[in-house]
Amino acid sequence: MSVATTSARGELRLWLAQRASAAVLALCVIVHLALITYAVRGGLSAADILARTRGSVGWLAFYLVFVAAVAVHAPIGVRTVVREMTPWRGRSLDLAAAAFGLFLALFGARAIWGLFR
Amino acid sequence: MTVPASRLGSWRKSAHPSYVAFLVHRLSGVALALFLPLHFWALGQVIAGTASLDGFLRWTEQPLVKLAEIVLVMLLAAHFAGGLRLLFLEFVGWRDWQKTAVAAGAGFSLLAGLLFLLNVAG
Amino acid sequence: MSERPASGPALAVKVWRGRETGGFQEFRVPRQANQTVLDVVTWIQRHLDPSLSYRFACRVGMCGSCAMTVNGTPRWTCRTHVSKVEQGGVVTIAPLDNLPVIKDLATDMTVFFDKWQRAGGHFKPPEQRSADFVTVPPATRERRAADAGIECIGCGVCYAACDIVRWTPDYLGPAALNRAWTLVNDVRDAGGNDRLAAVAGDAGCHACHSQENCRQHCPKHINPTAAIAGLKRATALALLKGRL
């Protein structure tokens, strides 16, 4: 029999997921920052980007992990901000946050696939 | 008169570093979350063809857009640095160098912005 | 209380009158040597307006009863020299934030202490009376963690300073969570997973964003931020081990 209430455990899980995704993002972000700082030298063109991403399983994998982590991290963060700073809370907010996460995951994966294909 | 604010007088949560760090972390997080859909849309332009993506990239060459990009880079760097401080605080423990960590984060954000500016302007 | 007049124009003191609704009433208070904000409030009540309600006890910085909001900052008024806080000869005094106002400068601290209980902030003895005494070496990590937080006297300053208490009314608050952490680290205590369950969730430690208003304002230099971070670790570990 569980000791904590369902909602307390649920909030704990969200907190843990946010921190876990943060750890993944820490690695992704440092790579991404380095990459974009380098990539913008001499202007950025589609050809520049595609030369790197097209057919590269490495970059595909990297960015899919990046998007997955963001799709977990951002909605939980935004949900917390909304709950603390607006009257909106409860099931409808949870669903909206989940929808935002799903949207980020799908929309991001779409872009990544487009750059890989 | 009513309202708790009337009891408060001045803005009492004076700008001590951890509070500023919280504000920066929250604001940068929200800004980045709002930016992401635009970012994914922009990159997804490649699906409509290379010319489509190139067209968008040309639009970003404008000075104001470049400025916005620099700001976004700084926001990302700041959110990242603040996040590292929090991950350490929460998973390893509190240390008495919080102020230093906040300052280092600010420095990192400035550095990232500067490097990006130099590379994008050159 | 002996009065030793000091030079300078009289202080303009704005004092909150009423409950949640009310207003600031202005008094002119003569300056005295080494005058504290508590001296000012007491002088007003004794010489100008006996109907002013406020709370104090030891007046020497031991009990925490005299905590009020002074120029926007929650602090002990008996340990706050007027010379340190006056702004252009003006001092504004209000009751502590985040607590219901009984009258004027006196707040109702019931909810503060209720949350203390809800956070498991009380010692739970082990079941067996016949159990041996536990040896508690003072230099162990747990004991040092507990010692860092046990001097809390429940003055409410951290609670008044905390944004999260303001935004999330159910939030247990820094003092209650700090106390819970001292007990989590007390090797004699048998509160175990029940206490961890009590402090988990967004009425508990997970609502804290480490703004450190609590640590910044605590008159006893206690660090609830560190304690709450410890609770986050302890609850996460308990969850992962299936104990929550």
Side-chain angles (χ1 to χ4, degrees), chain B residues 1-3 6-8 10 12-13 16 18-19 22 26 85-86 89-94 98, chain C residues 16 21-22 24 71-72 94 96-97 101 160 163 166 209-213 223 226 229 232-233:
Chain B
M1 55 176 148
T2 178
V3 164
S6 67
R7 282 151 52 182
L8 280 181
S10 55
R12 52 75 191 276
K13 284 171 279 278
H16 65 96
S18 294
Y19 196 81
F22 159 77
R26 180 155 283 198
R85 183 183 74 95
L86 285 177
L89 163 64
E90 291 181 347
F91 286 95
V92 182
W94 189 93
Q98 297 308 313
Chain C
W16 180 262
T21 54
F24 284 97
N71 288 352
L96 280 183
D97 268 316
V101 183
D163 265 355
R166 182 124 70 113
H209 296 299
S210 306
Q211 298 167 329
E212 299 205 291
N213 278 354
N223 190 344
K232 286 174 176 173
R233 281 193 297 285

mmCIF file of all heavy atoms in Angstrom, chain B residues 1-3 6-8 10 12-13 16 18-19 22 26 85-86 89-94 98, chain C residues 16 21-22 24 71-72 94 96-97 101 160 163 166 209-213 223 226 229 232-233:
data_model
loop_
_atom_site.group_PDB
_atom_site.id
_atom_site.type_symbol
_atom_site.label_atom_id
_atom_site.label_comp_id
_atom_site.label_asym_id
_atom_site.label_seq_id
_atom_site.Cartn_x
_atom_site.Cartn_y
_atom_site.Cartn_z
ATOM 1 N N MET B 1 -8.024 50.874 2.337
ATOM 2 C CA MET B 1 -7.518 50.153 1.168
ATOM 3 C C MET B 1 -7.384 48.673 1.501
ATOM 4 O O MET B 1 -7.385 48.271 2.652
ATOM 5 C CB MET B 1 -6.169 50.721 0.731
ATOM 6 C CG MET B 1 -5.105 50.748 1.800
ATOM 7 S SD MET B 1 -3.566 51.314 1.101
ATOM 8 C CE MET B 1 -2.817 52.167 2.457
ATOM 9 N N THR B 2 -7.268 47.884 0.490
ATOM 10 C CA THR B 2 -7.175 46.449 0.689
ATOM 11 C C THR B 2 -5.965 45.909 -0.060
ATOM 12 O O THR B 2 -5.090 46.662 -0.415
ATOM 13 C CB THR B 2 -8.480 45.752 0.231
ATOM 14 O OG1 THR B 2 -8.312 44.359 0.396
ATOM 15 C CG2 THR B 2 -8.789 46.071 -1.202
ATOM 16 N N VAL B 3 -5.904 44.616 -0.239
ATOM 17 C CA VAL B 3 -4.834 43.977 -1.035
ATOM 18 C C VAL B 3 -3.527 43.846 -0.254
ATOM 19 O O VAL B 3 -3.034 44.807 0.305
ATOM 20 C CB VAL B 3 -4.584 44.782 -2.356
ATOM 21 C CG1 VAL B 3 -3.287 44.407 -3.003
ATOM 22 C CG2 VAL B 3 -5.760 44.593 -3.292
ATOM 23 N N SER B 6 -0.507 46.355 -0.349
ATOM 24 C CA SER B 6 -0.470 47.603 0.394
ATOM 25 C C SER B 6 0.271 47.449 1.708
ATOM 26 O O SER B 6 0.732 48.419 2.285
ATOM 27 C CB SER B 6 -1.884 48.111 0.657
ATOM 28 O OG SER B 6 -2.540 47.230 1.553
ATOM 29 N N ARG B 7 0.387 46.235 2.193
ATOM 30 C CA ARG B 7 1.150 46.024 3.428
ATOM 31 C C ARG B 7 2.634 45.916 3.142
ATOM 32 O O ARG B 7 3.453 46.026 4.040
ATOM 33 C CB ARG B 7 0.688 44.722 4.107
ATOM 34 C CG ARG B 7 -0.615 44.844 4.860
ATOM 35 C CD ARG B 7 -1.371 43.553 4.907
ATOM 36 N NE ARG B 7 -0.547 42.457 5.394
ATOM 37 C CZ ARG B 7 -0.988 41.207 5.493
ATOM 38 N NH1 ARG B 7 -2.212 40.909 5.158
ATOM 39 N NH2 ARG B 7 -0.210 40.250 5.916
ATOM 40 N N LEU B 8 2.955 45.663 1.898
ATOM 41 C CA LEU B 8 4.337 45.333 1.590
ATOM 42 C C LEU B 8 5.245 46.551 1.508
ATOM 43 O O LEU B 8 6.418 46.472 1.797
ATOM 44 C CB LEU B 8 4.424 44.601 0.254
ATOM 45 C CG LEU B 8 4.094 43.117 0.295
ATOM 46 C CD1 LEU B 8 4.238 42.528 -1.081
ATOM 47 C CD2 LEU B 8 5.005 42.397 1.263
ATOM 48 N N SER B 10 7.713 48.673 -0.156
ATOM 49 C CA SER B 10 8.616 48.541 -1.294
ATOM 50 C C SER B 10 8.762 47.085 -1.751
ATOM 51 O O SER B 10 8.337 46.171 -1.073
ATOM 52 C CB SER B 10 9.992 49.086 -0.901
ATOM 53 O OG SER B 10 10.420 48.421 0.265
ATOM 54 N N ARG B 12 10.250 44.045 -1.702
ATOM 55 C CA ARG B 12 11.146 43.596 -0.658
ATOM 56 C C ARG B 12 12.031 42.430 -1.040
ATOM 57 O O ARG B 12 13.034 42.179 -0.417
ATOM 58 C CB ARG B 12 10.403 43.236 0.623
ATOM 59 C CG ARG B 12 9.264 42.274 0.484
ATOM 60 C CD ARG B 12 9.687 40.833 0.277
ATOM 61 N NE ARG B 12 8.544 40.026 -0.102
ATOM 62 C CZ ARG B 12 7.677 39.497 0.762
ATOM 63 N NH1 ARG B 12 7.843 39.686 2.035
ATOM 64 N NH2 ARG B 12 6.651 38.803 0.347
ATOM 65 N N LYS B 13 11.637 41.712 -2.084
ATOM 66 C CA LYS B 13 12.518 40.613 -2.452
ATOM 67 C C LYS B 13 13.690 41.217 -3.207
ATOM 68 O O LYS B 13 13.830 41.065 -4.381
ATOM 69 C CB LYS B 13 11.748 39.602 -3.294
ATOM 70 C CG LYS B 13 10.828 38.764 -2.430
ATOM 71 C CD LYS B 13 9.898 37.897 -3.241
ATOM 72 C CE LYS B 13 8.710 38.648 -3.745
ATOM 73 N NZ LYS B 13 7.646 38.767 -2.740
ATOM 74 N N HIS B 16 18.633 39.863 -4.549
ATOM 75 C CA HIS B 16 19.741 38.994 -4.154
ATOM 76 C C HIS B 16 19.901 37.919 -5.221
ATOM 77 O O HIS B 16 18.930 37.520 -5.883
ATOM 78 C CB HIS B 16 19.560 38.455 -2.729
ATOM 79 C CG HIS B 16 18.395 37.538 -2.527
ATOM 80 N ND1 HIS B 16 18.513 36.170 -2.564
ATOM 81 C CD2 HIS B 16 17.105 37.780 -2.259
ATOM 82 C CE1 HIS B 16 17.336 35.611 -2.324
ATOM 83 N NE2 HIS B 16 16.465 36.570 -2.145
ATOM 84 N N SER B 18 20.213 34.715 -5.836
ATOM 85 C CA SER B 18 19.409 33.519 -6.083
ATOM 86 C C SER B 18 18.030 33.876 -6.603
ATOM 87 O O SER B 18 17.426 33.130 -7.377
ATOM 88 C CB SER B 18 19.268 32.698 -4.801
ATOM 89 O OG SER B 18 20.513 32.191 -4.408
ATOM 90 N N TYR B 19 17.523 35.025 -6.172
ATOM 91 C CA TYR B 19 16.212 35.421 -6.650
ATOM 92 C C TYR B 19 16.284 35.868 -8.100
ATOM 93 O O TYR B 19 15.423 35.538 -8.921
ATOM 94 C CB TYR B 19 15.604 36.530 -5.775
ATOM 95 C CG TYR B 19 14.124 36.669 -6.026
ATOM 96 C CD1 TYR B 19 13.219 35.799 -5.412
ATOM 97 C CD2 TYR B 19 13.632 37.624 -6.907
ATOM 98 C CE1 TYR B 19 11.863 35.877 -5.666
ATOM 99 C CE2 TYR B 19 12.277 37.706 -7.170
ATOM 100 C CZ TYR B 19 11.393 36.837 -6.546
ATOM 101 O OH TYR B 19 10.046 36.914 -6.815
ATOM 102 N N PHE B 22 16.471 32.916 -10.234
ATOM 103 C CA PHE B 22 15.148 32.313 -10.415
ATOM 104 C C PHE B 22 14.367 33.041 -11.509
ATOM 105 O O PHE B 22 13.773 32.428 -12.400
ATOM 106 C CB PHE B 22 14.368 32.365 -9.099
ATOM 107 C CG PHE B 22 12.879 32.258 -9.264
ATOM 108 C CD1 PHE B 22 12.276 31.036 -9.513
ATOM 109 C CD2 PHE B 22 12.078 33.390 -9.197
ATOM 110 C CE1 PHE B 22 10.908 30.934 -9.691
ATOM 111 C CE2 PHE B 22 10.707 33.301 -9.370
ATOM 112 C CZ PHE B 22 10.121 32.067 -9.618
ATOM 113 N N ARG B 26 13.199 31.385 -15.025
ATOM 114 C CA ARG B 26 11.780 31.275 -15.371
ATOM 115 C C ARG B 26 11.482 32.010 -16.682
ATOM 116 O O ARG B 26 10.841 31.464 -17.582
ATOM 117 C CB ARG B 26 10.928 31.833 -14.232
ATOM 118 C CG ARG B 26 9.444 31.762 -14.523
ATOM 119 C CD ARG B 26 8.636 31.727 -13.259
ATOM 120 N NE ARG B 26 8.675 30.415 -12.643
ATOM 121 C CZ ARG B 26 7.809 29.971 -11.726
ATOM 122 N NH1 ARG B 26 6.860 30.758 -11.322
ATOM 123 N NH2 ARG B 26 7.905 28.767 -11.217
ATOM 124 N N ARG B 85 23.306 24.721 -12.054
ATOM 125 C CA ARG B 85 23.396 25.096 -10.638
ATOM 126 C C ARG B 85 22.309 24.385 -9.830
ATOM 127 O O ARG B 85 22.554 23.842 -8.752
ATOM 128 C CB ARG B 85 23.265 26.617 -10.487
ATOM 129 C CG ARG B 85 23.422 27.120 -9.042
ATOM 130 C CD ARG B 85 23.216 28.626 -8.961
ATOM 131 N NE ARG B 85 21.827 28.987 -9.096
ATOM 132 C CZ ARG B 85 20.992 29.197 -8.086
ATOM 133 N NH1 ARG B 85 21.412 29.070 -6.852
ATOM 134 N NH2 ARG B 85 19.739 29.526 -8.309
ATOM 135 N N LEU B 86 21.092 24.373 -10.367
ATOM 136 C CA LEU B 86 19.977 23.736 -9.661
ATOM 137 C C LEU B 86 20.144 22.221 -9.567
ATOM 138 O O LEU B 86 19.857 21.622 -8.534
ATOM 139 C CB LEU B 86 18.657 24.061 -10.362
ATOM 140 C CG LEU B 86 18.125 25.478 -10.154
ATOM 141 C CD1 LEU B 86 16.867 25.690 -10.962
ATOM 142 C CD2 LEU B 86 17.844 25.744 -8.687
ATOM 143 N N LEU B 89 22.590 21.642 -6.865
ATOM 144 C CA LEU B 89 21.980 21.952 -5.563
ATOM 145 C C LEU B 89 21.028 20.849 -5.122
ATOM 146 O O LEU B 89 21.032 20.432 -3.963
ATOM 147 C CB LEU B 89 21.246 23.291 -5.665
ATOM 148 C CG LEU B 89 20.215 23.655 -4.590
ATOM 149 C CD1 LEU B 89 20.856 23.794 -3.233
ATOM 150 C CD2 LEU B 89 19.513 24.959 -4.956
ATOM 151 N N GLU B 90 20.237 20.362 -6.061
ATOM 152 C CA GLU B 90 19.206 19.394 -5.695
ATOM 153 C C GLU B 90 19.733 17.978 -5.576
ATOM 154 O O GLU B 90 19.255 17.215 -4.739
ATOM 155 C CB GLU B 90 18.051 19.450 -6.704
ATOM 156 C CG GLU B 90 17.273 20.748 -6.588
ATOM 157 C CD GLU B 90 16.100 20.829 -7.557
ATOM 158 O OE1 GLU B 90 16.031 20.002 -8.484
ATOM 159 O OE2 GLU B 90 15.261 21.735 -7.384
ATOM 160 N N PHE B 91 20.730 17.614 -6.381
ATOM 161 C CA PHE B 91 21.166 16.217 -6.370
ATOM 162 C C PHE B 91 22.467 15.977 -5.626
ATOM 163 O O PHE B 91 22.717 14.873 -5.165
ATOM 164 C CB PHE B 91 21.243 15.678 -7.803
ATOM 165 C CG PHE B 91 19.885 15.421 -8.373
ATOM 166 C CD1 PHE B 91 19.250 16.378 -9.156
ATOM 167 C CD2 PHE B 91 19.212 14.255 -8.084
ATOM 168 C CE1 PHE B 91 17.976 16.164 -9.649
ATOM 169 C CE2 PHE B 91 17.932 14.024 -8.584
ATOM 170 C CZ PHE B 91 17.318 14.975 -9.366
ATOM 171 N N VAL B 92 23.308 17.013 -5.534
ATOM 172 C CA VAL B 92 24.539 16.842 -4.767
ATOM 173 C C VAL B 92 24.385 17.520 -3.412
ATOM 174 O O VAL B 92 24.710 16.945 -2.376
ATOM 175 C CB VAL B 92 25.746 17.429 -5.532
ATOM 176 C CG1 VAL B 92 27.029 17.202 -4.756
ATOM 177 C CG2 VAL B 92 25.844 16.801 -6.913
ATOM 178 N N GLY B 93 23.885 18.739 -3.398
ATOM 179 C CA GLY B 93 23.633 19.440 -2.151
ATOM 180 C C GLY B 93 23.967 20.912 -2.249
ATOM 181 O O GLY B 93 24.620 21.360 -3.184
ATOM 182 N N TRP B 94 23.486 21.653 -1.271
ATOM 183 C CA TRP B 94 23.752 23.087 -1.231
ATOM 184 C C TRP B 94 25.212 23.332 -0.880
ATOM 185 O O TRP B 94 25.777 22.680 -0.011
ATOM 186 C CB TRP B 94 22.833 23.736 -0.186
ATOM 187 C CG TRP B 94 22.846 25.227 -0.199
ATOM 188 C CD1 TRP B 94 22.002 26.040 -0.873
ATOM 189 C CD2 TRP B 94 23.743 26.094 0.509
ATOM 190 N NE1 TRP B 94 22.303 27.352 -0.643
ATOM 191 C CE2 TRP B 94 23.366 27.420 0.207
ATOM 192 C CE3 TRP B 94 24.814 25.884 1.367
ATOM 193 C CZ2 TRP B 94 24.033 28.522 0.713
ATOM 194 C CZ3 TRP B 94 25.485 26.986 1.882
ATOM 195 C CH2 TRP B 94 25.084 28.299 1.546
ATOM 196 N N GLN B 98 26.747 29.687 -4.068
ATOM 197 C CA GLN B 98 25.596 29.968 -4.942
ATOM 198 C C GLN B 98 25.794 31.260 -5.734
ATOM 199 O O GLN B 98 25.539 31.317 -6.935
ATOM 200 C CB GLN B 98 24.312 30.069 -4.125
ATOM 201 C CG GLN B 98 23.914 28.795 -3.403
ATOM 202 C CD GLN B 98 23.858 27.596 -4.317
ATOM 203 O OE1 GLN B 98 23.277 27.651 -5.410
ATOM 204 N NE2 GLN B 98 24.492 26.516 -3.914
ATOM 205 N N TRP C 16 0.499 49.773 9.931
ATOM 206 C CA TRP C 16 -0.718 49.175 9.394
ATOM 207 C C TRP C 16 -1.767 49.039 10.496
ATOM 208 O O TRP C 16 -1.492 48.517 11.566
ATOM 209 C CB TRP C 16 -0.415 47.793 8.807
ATOM 210 C CG TRP C 16 -1.638 47.137 8.240
ATOM 211 C CD1 TRP C 16 -2.434 46.193 8.839
ATOM 212 C CD2 TRP C 16 -2.244 47.407 6.979
ATOM 213 N NE1 TRP C 16 -3.481 45.863 8.023
ATOM 214 C CE2 TRP C 16 -3.397 46.591 6.870
ATOM 215 C CE3 TRP C 16 -1.921 48.265 5.923
ATOM 216 C CZ2 TRP C 16 -4.227 46.608 5.754
ATOM 217 C CZ3 TRP C 16 -2.748 48.266 4.819
ATOM 218 C CH2 TRP C 16 -3.893 47.446 4.738
ATOM 219 N N THR C 21 -7.988 44.257 5.205
ATOM 220 C CA THR C 21 -8.309 45.600 4.716
ATOM 221 C C THR C 21 -8.052 46.573 5.852
ATOM 222 O O THR C 21 -8.223 46.253 7.026
ATOM 223 C CB THR C 21 -9.777 45.699 4.275
ATOM 224 O OG1 THR C 21 -10.603 45.253 5.358
ATOM 225 C CG2 THR C 21 -10.031 44.815 3.070
ATOM 226 N N GLY C 22 -7.656 47.744 5.480
ATOM 227 C CA GLY C 22 -7.327 48.741 6.502
ATOM 228 C C GLY C 22 -6.517 49.827 5.842
ATOM 229 O O GLY C 22 -6.790 50.194 4.699
ATOM 230 N N PHE C 24 -2.612 52.464 6.346
ATOM 231 C CA PHE C 24 -1.463 52.881 7.141
ATOM 232 C C PHE C 24 -1.798 54.160 7.890
ATOM 233 O O PHE C 24 -2.298 55.116 7.313
ATOM 234 C CB PHE C 24 -0.240 53.118 6.246
ATOM 235 C CG PHE C 24 0.406 51.850 5.781
ATOM 236 C CD1 PHE C 24 0.113 51.323 4.528
ATOM 237 C CD2 PHE C 24 1.286 51.157 6.598
ATOM 238 C CE1 PHE C 24 0.685 50.149 4.097
ATOM 239 C CE2 PHE C 24 1.873 49.965 6.176
ATOM 240 C CZ PHE C 24 1.568 49.459 4.915
ATOM 241 N N ASN C 71 9.580 48.229 6.307
ATOM 242 C CA ASN C 71 9.971 48.726 4.981
ATOM 243 C C ASN C 71 10.020 47.593 3.968
ATOM 244 O O ASN C 71 10.959 47.465 3.184
ATOM 245 C CB ASN C 71 11.317 49.462 5.042
ATOM 246 C CG ASN C 71 11.205 50.812 5.724
ATOM 247 O OD1 ASN C 71 10.105 51.263 6.029
ATOM 248 N ND2 ASN C 71 12.340 51.445 5.970
ATOM 249 N N GLY C 72 9.000 46.749 3.993
ATOM 250 C CA GLY C 72 8.857 45.698 3.007
ATOM 251 C C GLY C 72 9.605 44.415 3.296
ATOM 252 O O GLY C 72 9.457 43.444 2.551
ATOM 253 N N ALA C 94 4.366 46.860 8.983
ATOM 254 C CA ALA C 94 3.164 46.107 8.643
ATOM 255 C C ALA C 94 3.273 44.721 9.256
ATOM 256 O O ALA C 94 4.367 44.301 9.639
ATOM 257 C CB ALA C 94 3.031 46.023 7.131
ATOM 258 N N LEU C 96 3.397 40.535 9.312
ATOM 259 C CA LEU C 96 4.069 39.569 8.449
ATOM 260 C C LEU C 96 3.157 39.177 7.286
ATOM 261 O O LEU C 96 1.940 39.033 7.450
ATOM 262 C CB LEU C 96 4.415 38.298 9.231
ATOM 263 C CG LEU C 96 5.648 38.313 10.123
ATOM 264 C CD1 LEU C 96 5.841 36.934 10.736
ATOM 265 C CD2 LEU C 96 6.897 38.735 9.368
ATOM 266 N N ASP C 97 3.768 38.981 6.131
ATOM 267 C CA ASP C 97 3.019 38.540 4.945
ATOM 268 C C ASP C 97 2.592 37.093 5.044
ATOM 269 O O ASP C 97 3.111 36.324 5.846
ATOM 270 C CB ASP C 97 3.931 38.667 3.721
ATOM 271 C CG ASP C 97 3.763 40.000 3.067
ATOM 272 O OD1 ASP C 97 2.612 40.432 2.908
ATOM 273 O OD2 ASP C 97 4.785 40.601 2.739
ATOM 274 N N VAL C 101 -4.347 38.362 9.216
ATOM 275 C CA VAL C 101 -4.096 39.411 10.205
ATOM 276 C C VAL C 101 -5.197 39.378 11.253
ATOM 277 O O VAL C 101 -6.380 39.447 10.916
ATOM 278 C CB VAL C 101 -4.073 40.797 9.528
ATOM 279 C CG1 VAL C 101 -3.737 41.878 10.558
ATOM 280 C CG2 VAL C 101 -3.069 40.815 8.394
ATOM 281 N N ALA C 160 7.008 34.262 5.723
ATOM 282 C CA ALA C 160 6.527 35.544 5.206
ATOM 283 C C ALA C 160 7.316 35.981 3.979
ATOM 284 O O ALA C 160 6.795 36.675 3.112
ATOM 285 C CB ALA C 160 6.622 36.617 6.290
ATOM 286 N N ASP C 163 7.950 33.436 -1.725
ATOM 287 C CA ASP C 163 7.025 33.634 -2.849
ATOM 288 C C ASP C 163 6.107 32.444 -3.036
ATOM 289 O O ASP C 163 4.941 32.576 -3.393
ATOM 290 C CB ASP C 163 7.821 33.789 -4.150
ATOM 291 C CG ASP C 163 8.053 35.233 -4.491
ATOM 292 O OD1 ASP C 163 7.516 36.105 -3.771
ATOM 293 O OD2 ASP C 163 8.765 35.480 -5.468
ATOM 294 N N ARG C 166 3.167 32.390 -1.057
ATOM 295 C CA ARG C 166 2.190 33.350 -1.571
ATOM 296 C C ARG C 166 1.437 32.788 -2.766
ATOM 297 O O ARG C 166 0.234 32.959 -2.894
ATOM 298 C CB ARG C 166 2.909 34.642 -1.980
ATOM 299 C CG ARG C 166 1.919 35.679 -2.472
ATOM 300 C CD ARG C 166 2.034 36.950 -1.717
ATOM 301 N NE ARG C 166 3.258 37.640 -2.035
ATOM 302 C CZ ARG C 166 3.277 38.804 -2.676
ATOM 303 N NH1 ARG C 166 2.158 39.361 -3.062
ATOM 304 N NH2 ARG C 166 4.400 39.400 -2.901
ATOM 305 N N HIS C 209 11.565 26.557 -5.548
ATOM 306 C CA HIS C 209 12.404 26.890 -6.699
ATOM 307 C C HIS C 209 13.743 27.492 -6.293
ATOM 308 O O HIS C 209 14.394 28.154 -7.090
ATOM 309 C CB HIS C 209 11.664 27.864 -7.624
ATOM 310 C CG HIS C 209 10.426 27.270 -8.213
ATOM 311 N ND1 HIS C 209 10.434 26.154 -9.015
ATOM 312 C CD2 HIS C 209 9.135 27.619 -8.089
ATOM 313 C CE1 HIS C 209 9.199 25.856 -9.367
ATOM 314 N NE2 HIS C 209 8.380 26.727 -8.823
ATOM 315 N N SER C 210 14.131 27.265 -5.038
ATOM 316 C CA SER C 210 15.447 27.688 -4.560
ATOM 317 C C SER C 210 15.709 29.172 -4.743
ATOM 318 O O SER C 210 16.834 29.585 -5.046
ATOM 319 C CB SER C 210 16.566 26.875 -5.247
ATOM 320 O OG SER C 210 16.335 25.506 -5.089
ATOM 321 N N GLN C 211 14.691 29.986 -4.540
ATOM 322 C CA GLN C 211 14.881 31.430 -4.614
ATOM 323 C C GLN C 211 15.722 31.942 -3.447
ATOM 324 O O GLN C 211 16.328 32.994 -3.523
ATOM 325 C CB GLN C 211 13.522 32.152 -4.570
ATOM 326 C CG GLN C 211 12.607 31.817 -5.715
ATOM 327 C CD GLN C 211 11.197 32.297 -5.470
ATOM 328 O OE1 GLN C 211 10.744 32.362 -4.342
ATOM 329 N NE2 GLN C 211 10.487 32.639 -6.539
ATOM 330 N N GLU C 212 15.716 31.189 -2.360
ATOM 331 C CA GLU C 212 16.520 31.493 -1.172
ATOM 332 C C GLU C 212 16.084 32.747 -0.414
ATOM 333 O O GLU C 212 16.870 33.301 0.359
ATOM 334 C CB GLU C 212 18.014 31.593 -1.518
ATOM 335 C CG GLU C 212 18.579 30.305 -2.076
ATOM 336 C CD GLU C 212 20.076 30.165 -1.859
ATOM 337 O OE1 GLU C 212 20.828 30.928 -2.499
ATOM 338 O OE2 GLU C 212 20.475 29.314 -1.063
ATOM 339 N N ASN C 213 14.841 33.173 -0.581
ATOM 340 C CA ASN C 213 14.346 34.270 0.261
ATOM 341 C C ASN C 213 14.372 33.859 1.724
ATOM 342 O O ASN C 213 14.617 34.660 2.622
ATOM 343 C CB ASN C 213 12.916 34.653 -0.118
ATOM 344 C CG ASN C 213 12.866 35.570 -1.309
ATOM 345 O OD1 ASN C 213 13.894 36.017 -1.802
ATOM 346 N ND2 ASN C 213 11.672 35.856 -1.786
ATOM 347 N N ASN C 223 19.311 27.503 6.900
ATOM 348 C CA ASN C 223 19.279 27.381 5.445
ATOM 349 C C ASN C 223 18.190 26.405 5.001
ATOM 350 O O ASN C 223 18.477 25.241 4.712
ATOM 351 C CB ASN C 223 20.654 26.907 4.965
ATOM 352 C CG ASN C 223 20.793 26.972 3.461
ATOM 353 O OD1 ASN C 223 19.814 27.083 2.734
ATOM 354 N ND2 ASN C 223 22.024 26.901 2.986
ATOM 355 N N ALA C 226 18.736 24.512 1.593
ATOM 356 C CA ALA C 226 19.537 23.286 1.635
ATOM 357 C C ALA C 226 18.708 22.119 2.163
ATOM 358 O O ALA C 226 18.791 20.995 1.654
ATOM 359 C CB ALA C 226 20.772 23.493 2.507
ATOM 360 N N ALA C 229 16.268 20.964 -0.493
ATOM 361 C CA ALA C 229 16.990 20.205 -1.519
ATOM 362 C C ALA C 229 17.265 18.785 -1.012
ATOM 363 O O ALA C 229 17.169 17.804 -1.766
ATOM 364 C CB ALA C 229 18.290 20.911 -1.888
ATOM 365 N N LYS C 232 14.196 16.768 -1.348
ATOM 366 C CA LYS C 232 13.982 16.354 -2.738
ATOM 367 C C LYS C 232 14.769 15.078 -3.029
ATOM 368 O O LYS C 232 14.259 14.145 -3.653
ATOM 369 C CB LYS C 232 14.420 17.466 -3.700
ATOM 370 C CG LYS C 232 13.463 18.638 -3.760
ATOM 371 C CD LYS C 232 14.032 19.764 -4.617
ATOM 372 C CE LYS C 232 13.024 20.896 -4.764
ATOM 373 N NZ LYS C 232 13.593 22.071 -5.433
ATOM 374 N N ARG C 233 16.014 15.054 -2.576
ATOM 375 C CA ARG C 233 16.836 13.852 -2.781
ATOM 376 C C ARG C 233 16.239 12.661 -2.066
ATOM 377 O O ARG C 233 16.130 11.571 -2.630
ATOM 378 C CB ARG C 233 18.259 14.085 -2.270
ATOM 379 C CG ARG C 233 19.140 14.871 -3.207
ATOM 380 C CD ARG C 233 20.593 14.797 -2.781
ATOM 381 N NE ARG C 233 20.861 15.373 -1.479
ATOM 382 C CZ ARG C 233 20.908 16.668 -1.221
ATOM 383 N NH1 ARG C 233 20.670 17.528 -2.189
ATOM 384 N NH2 ARG C 233 21.171 17.109 -0.008
#
